Amino acid sequence: MNMPEASFLAWQKQFSTEDDCLEYLQEMKWKNGFICPRCGNAHNYKIASRHLYECTQCKKQTSVTAGTLFHGSKITLIQWFWAIYFLGSDKGSISALRLSKLIEVNWRTARLILKKLRSAMGHRDSLYQLSGTIELDDALVGGRQKGKRGRGAAGKKNVLIACESKEKKAGFIAMEVVDSICHFSVDKFVKKYLKPGQKVRSDALAALNIIDQAQDHEARVTPSHLVDEWLPWVHIAIGNLKTFLLGTFHGVSGKYLQEYLDEFCYRFNRRFIEKQIPNRLLNLAIVHVPVKSS
Ligand SMILES: [Zn+2]
């Protein structure tokens, strides 16, 4: 489904007051009109200044933010909607510090908003499984120092990456932080992100041979100067990821790495429709179940 493209001016026009946001949320949530969850009555009174609607019949109060990503949040909808715009429209992502200034919240609140949005992005993409020809590799990512595979460089984390190869372009991508690259973590990753019976290419790292069990797996010992021929897309993606992490976050501590991977993949997977991302993210936040604050 195509979504409208978003520009700063269009967003400003559409969502300039709290009521604009409330109205949009209400329309999206109750597409066929309000229905009381207790008695099924279709009529309500709006309770001013809170996002609550009271059933005219049984008096049950229903919050329009209940069951969405905005559930239980103390900030206004307009702050949420603009956080979504700033995160969704910036290719290089946004730091919590910058977001906190833009929507006038403290740093901790901005961090929590970003965490919830990135978590929804990750969840959305985990519903899709890769298929066709898939390149799979591991990398050491994050931290603030340079390091090589297997050396346990400070602050770096192991990441598994899979990328659909569509000959002249990359397809969908998936990335996950793992404690170590071993049979257990590789098997779990492959089962979660890949349809069974696909054509999977990798280098000949021993931990990856578990892929044979459910996939048509071809492992090749690849000297470093030939690796871009055997696994081109996955290496381009790793390079882009490292640039993304350095650019906005000046390196990332391991603790938050999965959130950034979720955002990176979500954006990568929509790179041909990137102007739709703010609207897609807004609608995702409305249909997404609440994400825990801690
Ligand atoms: Zn009712």
Side-chain angles (χ1 to χ4, degrees):
M1 189 177 71
N2 264 323
M3 294 289 292
E5 297 190 344
S7 71
F8 184 87
L9 290 178
W11 202 265
Q12 196 179 43
K13 206 171 159 195
Q14 196 179 359
F15 303 120
S16 65
T17 66
E18 185 70 6
D19 274 348
D20 291 339
C21 301
L22 188 59
E23 209 168 289
Y24 183 86
L25 176 56
Q26 197 183 314
E27 271 168 31
M28 296 307 289
K29 205 179 156 185
W30 295 316
K31 280 187 177 136
N32 304 313
F34 172 85
I35 299 283
C36 171
R38 183 191 280 160
C39 73
N41 174 28
H43 301 282
N44 64 58
Y45 307 111
K46 183 179 181 310
I47 298 176
S49 81
R50 291 194 289 159
H51 304 143
L52 287 175
Y53 295 81
E54 187 176 288
C55 172
T56 56
Q57 204 164 276
C58 75
K59 308 294 174 201
K60 182 179 168 59
Q61 294 186 346
T62 304
S63 164
V64 71
T65 57
T68 73
L69 207 65
F70 315 130
H71 184 86
S73 177
K74 295 202 170 52
I75 66 163
T76 59
L77 286 175
I78 199 165
Q79 286 171 309
W80 263 113
F81 279 40
W82 278 94
I84 287 170
Y85 178 79
F86 289 126
L87 177 65
S89 63
D90 193 336
K91 223 177 187 166
S93 191
I94 188 165
S95 66
L97 184 63
R98 177 144 172 75
L99 181 64
S100 73
K101 289 174 182 164
L102 285 167
I103 63 166
E104 298 177 10
V105 295
N106 64 39
W107 179 85
R108 285 176 65 87
T109 303
R111 256 235 38 88
L112 185 59
I113 291 169
L114 291 171
K115 178 192 154 171
K116 289 184 176 188
L117 289 170
R118 289 179 177 132
S119 159
M121 287 170 159
H123 183 245
R124 176 69 191 80
D125 278 1
S126 73
L127 302 175
Y128 178 88
Q129 283 191 306
L130 278 60
S131 63
T133 300
I134 298 154
E135 299 173 14
L136 195 146
D137 205 358
D138 68 295
L140 268 179
V141 179
R144 288 173 169 84
Q145 291 161 30
K146 287 190 171 179
K148 283 183 183 155
R149 179 151 111 178
R151 301 266 173 86
K156 289 194 178 290
K157 292 269 183 185
N158 287 298
V159 173
L160 283 167
I161 303 118
C163 184
E164 289 174 347
S165 165
K166 311 262 185 197
E167 295 287 327
K168 289 198 165 61
K169 60 175 189 159
F172 221 76
I173 201 168
M175 297 185 174
E176 194 164 283
V177 179
V178 291
D179 288 337
S180 66
I181 308 294
C182 62
H183 277 171
F184 176 76
S185 63
V186 172
D187 191 43
K188 202 167 153 226
F189 177 82
V190 167
K191 281 184 177 141
K192 181 173 175 187
Y193 292 104
L194 274 61
K195 282 187 183 158
Q198 309 304 306
K199 228 177 158 50
V200 180
R201 293 172 159 197
S202 75
D203 64 18
L205 191 73
L208 301 182
N209 61 23
I210 186 96
I211 300 172
D212 298 359
Q213 287 189 356
Q215 306 287 346
D216 175 8
H217 179 215
E218 190 178 352
R220 272 192 204 171
V221 181
T222 336
S224 55
H225 68 283
L226 289 177
V227 95
D228 288 343
E229 283 174 33
W230 182 231
L231 302 167
W233 294 116
V234 89
H235 284 124
I236 288 171
I238 293 168
N240 289 354
L241 171 70
K242 287 181 176 173
T243 309
F244 170 78
L245 294 177
L246 278 176
T248 308
F249 312 109
H250 312 294
V252 157
S253 83
K255 201 171 142 195
Y256 302 126
L257 184 56
Q258 187 61 49
E259 285 179 38
Y260 299 121
L261 297 185
D262 288 342
E263 181 187 345
F264 177 84
C265 291
Y266 184 89
R267 212 176 275 288
F268 185 95
N269 291 336
R270 289 159 189 76
R271 65 198 179 282
F272 300 119
I273 48 168
E274 63 178 18
K275 287 192 175 140
Q276 295 181 18
I277 289 179
N279 277 303
R280 286 177 175 268
L281 197 51
L282 176 56
N283 288 290
L284 176 62
I286 294 170
V287 300
H288 199 280
V289 294
V291 171
K292 275 192 216 148
S293 296
S294 54

